[in-house]
Structure formats: C-alpha cells, structure tokens
Amino acid sequence: MTIELDVLTPADADRCAELEKLLFPGDDPWSAGAFRAELAAKHNRYFAVRTTLESGVTLMIGYAGVSLLGNRFSPESEVHTIGVDPSFQRLGVGTMLLDRLLAEAEKHGGPVFLEVRTDNEPAIALYRRYGFDTVGTRRNYYQPSGADAFTMRRPAGGGALS
Ligand SMILES: CC(C)(COP(=O)(O)OP(=O)(O)OC[C@H]1O[C@@H](n2cnc3c(N)ncnc32)[C@H](O)[C@@H]1OP(=O)(O)O)[C@@H](O)C(=O)NCCC(=O)NCCS
C-alpha cells in the first residue's frame, strides 16, 4: 500500500464531509462547504494523506488542518481538525498528519492549542505523545451531543516525541 502526504484541496471537500459523518456522527460534522471555507482562509494549512488502491484509484484517507494565529510578537496555532478513515486507522496516518501540522506550527512559532472530547482516548493518547497537556475543560463544547472538551496546549518549541 502506498501512502502519500500532500495538500488538501477544494476538490477533496466532498470526501472530507463523507469522512466527517463517519468520524463525528453526533457532533455536527463539517459540511463540504465548511471545508471549502477553511481552505479559503489564508492563515489555515490543510493536508491530506492518500493511498492508491489495487484498482489504481487514489483515495483520500486522512485530513488535518491547523490555523496560524496571533502576530509576530505573540504567535500561536490551533489544530482545527484531524481525521482518518476508520478502515485505515492505527497505521500511522494520524501521526503523519500531526507531524506535518506541528512542523507548520513550529515554523510559525508559539504554543499550539486544540480541543478534544474528554472521552476521545485515541486522540488524547496521540496528542500526549506530541507533548500536549490538558489546560482546561469546556463544558457542553460539542453540539448537539453536549459532550465536554479538554483544551490541550503544546508549548512553543514542542515537547515529547516530535
Ligand atoms: C485520532 C486519530 C486521528 C488517530 O489516527 P490514526 O491514524 O489511527 O493514528 P496513528 O495510527 O498514527 O496512531 C498514533 C498513536 O495514537 C494513539 N492511538 C491511536 N488510536 C488509538 C486507539 N484506538 N486507542 C488508543 N490509542 C490510540 C496511539 O498512541 C498510537 O500509537 P501506537 O499505534 O504506536 O500505539 C483517529 O483515531 C481518528 O480519526 N479518530 C476520529 C476523529 C477524531 O477523533 N479526531 C480528533 C478530533 S480532536
């Protein structure tokens, strides 16, 4: 199986929306339009992982985005989303994507923030490996489920694995 990382484009928006429905069914999954809006924002960086199937068809199996915020005196970044097709999870795709997002965030400078459901153990485990720590809890952050989120922060200059 070949796996390649490149940039996410507006042509991927429908596939992203399809994956969102699978990955975040109770939490207002993003639409194709929401992805197109994210991709149009100048301060956002989005990436995709693709695989070429035996049939020769190329399939996008993971996507992730980070927003580069603040200013040059006080930069910070925020991971907006990361998702991997359930059939391709636990193969290192999420790691590839997070590596790339954090490389962008490190170039930009400052800490990196994200929100994650408090019961999302796979994602929390991944983020901890990259030096993110829990810095707060946001009640009823996800809708319509009403699930709580942890706010996690990775200090400037990184930490842990990467
Ligand atoms: C979180 C997610 C992106 C991880 O993607 P992935 O491609 O499966 O991740 P990787 O294969 O790179 O795994 C890296 C590490 O994350 C952790 N991890 C991933 N899945 C895990 C699971 N099901 N249980 C526990 N830890 C897990 C492990 O530490 C793993 O390392 P290991 O395989 O060496 O033990 C994926 O599970 C996903 O898409 N989840 C649904 C969407 C989501 O919740 N996104 C995050 C929103 S904040």
Side-chain angles (χ1 to χ4, degrees):
M1 187 169 84
T2 60
I3 286 191
E4 282 179 12
L5 181 106
D6 69 1
V7 293
L8 194 75
T9 77
D12 295 311
D14 287 339
R15 170 73 175 145
C16 287
E18 178 182 280
L19 288 175
E20 284 270 312
K21 280 192 205 152
L22 286 176
L23 298 171
F24 305 106
D27 288 327
D28 198 13
W30 286 5
S31 64
F35 276 97
R36 282 191 283 270
E38 281 285 298
L39 290 169
K42 254 179 65 184
H43 51 276
N44 288 347
R45 303 286 180 274
Y46 271 78
F47 301 94
V49 169
R50 304 176 201 280
T51 188
T52 303
L53 305 174
E54 274 176 24
S55 61
V57 171
T58 298
L59 187 66
M60 196 274 279
I61 57 172
Y63 59 91
V66 63
S67 201
L68 308 177
L69 304 168
N71 56 44
R72 69 191 166 104
F73 304 108
S74 182
E76 64 178 61
S77 302
E78 190 176 295
V79 174
H80 274 192
T81 188
I82 180 164
V84 175
D85 183 328
S87 310
F88 294 89
Q89 288 182 3
R90 218 66 199 263
L91 295 173
V93 174
T95 299
M96 277 174 88
L97 287 162
L98 191 57
D99 261 343
R100 191 70 180 83
L101 294 190
L102 294 179
E104 290 292 320
E106 278 173 22
K107 240 189 308 172
H108 181 65
V112 187
F113 293 89
L114 59 81
E115 260 81 35
V116 58
R117 266 179 78 130
T118 54
D119 59 359
N120 191 345
E121 286 165 19
I124 291 168
L126 175 62
Y127 298 142
R128 287 203 184 286
R129 281 176 66 165
Y130 279 86
F132 283 90
D133 276 322
T134 302
V135 293
T137 305
R138 304 181 78 172
R139 301 284 171 207
N140 299 314
Y141 180 78
Y142 294 99
Q143 296 301 326
S145 69
D148 298 339
F150 287 137
T151 298
M152 300 187 81
R153 176 182 183 274
R154 184 182 198 246
L161 255 192
S162 75

